[in-house]
Amino acid sequence: MLKILLFIGSGSFLGGIARYLLSKSIQQTVITSFPLGTFWVNITGCFLIGLIYGLSDRGTPISNELRLFLAVGFCGGFTTFSTFSHENLALLRDGSFLYFSLYAGLSVFLGLLATFGGHALTKIIVP
């Protein structure tokens, strides 16, 4: 178990660094108030996790450790949006349209509400 956690943690460490560097370089290159850096990181992460799981589903010899390093670790550190996207795709493939709608809709709505709540709480507890 410790070995698997080290694979995931190492991937997450590298993914977080990659997210920061890519997002920052894009945002500094293109002058806009649109969060283009984060947008491209999210889309790239979705592509990468699709590629990783797609290769794994096709029988490509990817060890469990490498898959965890890349999908859970790197992509998870790079962007959790990729996991969110992959899980929604799985729900659609399974024909679970109600769960897809609930998961996607509630995640976005409640995520924004929770972020707003966190910001609002700081106004109360930090003078």
Side-chain angles (χ1 to χ4, degrees):
M1 180 64 148
L2 180 60
K3 180 181 172 185
I4 288 181
L5 294 177
L6 288 172
F7 275 107
I8 293 169
S10 299
S12 183
F13 173 77
L14 294 173
I17 291 170
R19 173 184 65 227
Y20 174 77
L21 293 174
L22 180 60
S23 180
K24 184 176 179 174
S25 69
I26 290 171
Q27 207 62 43
Q28 287 178 341
T29 303
V30 181
I31 307 300
T32 179
S33 58
F34 184 80
L36 194 60
T38 302
F39 174 78
W40 277 111
V41 163
N42 286 338
I43 300 308
T44 303
C46 290
F47 175 77
L48 288 174
I49 204 166
L51 188 64
I52 293 161
Y53 281 116
L55 288 171
S56 185
D57 289 347
R58 300 278 183 275
T60 304
I62 298 176
S63 70
N64 188 47
E65 290 85 2
L66 181 59
R67 188 175 47 81
L68 290 171
F69 172 83
L70 292 172
V72 178
F74 186 84
C75 287
F78 193 63
T79 172
T80 57
F81 189 77
S82 59
T83 300
F84 172 73
S85 181
H86 175 71
E87 290 170 346
N88 275 295
L89 181 62
L91 289 171
L92 286 172
R93 280 188 185 154
D94 292 344
S96 301
F97 301 112
L98 176 62
Y99 286 156
F100 161 76
S101 299
L102 287 172
Y103 183 45
L106 289 174
S107 291
V108 171
F109 176 73
L110 293 177
L112 287 170
L113 189 62
T115 302
F116 173 79
H119 278 266
L121 183 60
T122 63
K123 293 178 182 178
I124 296 169
I125 61 174
V126 179

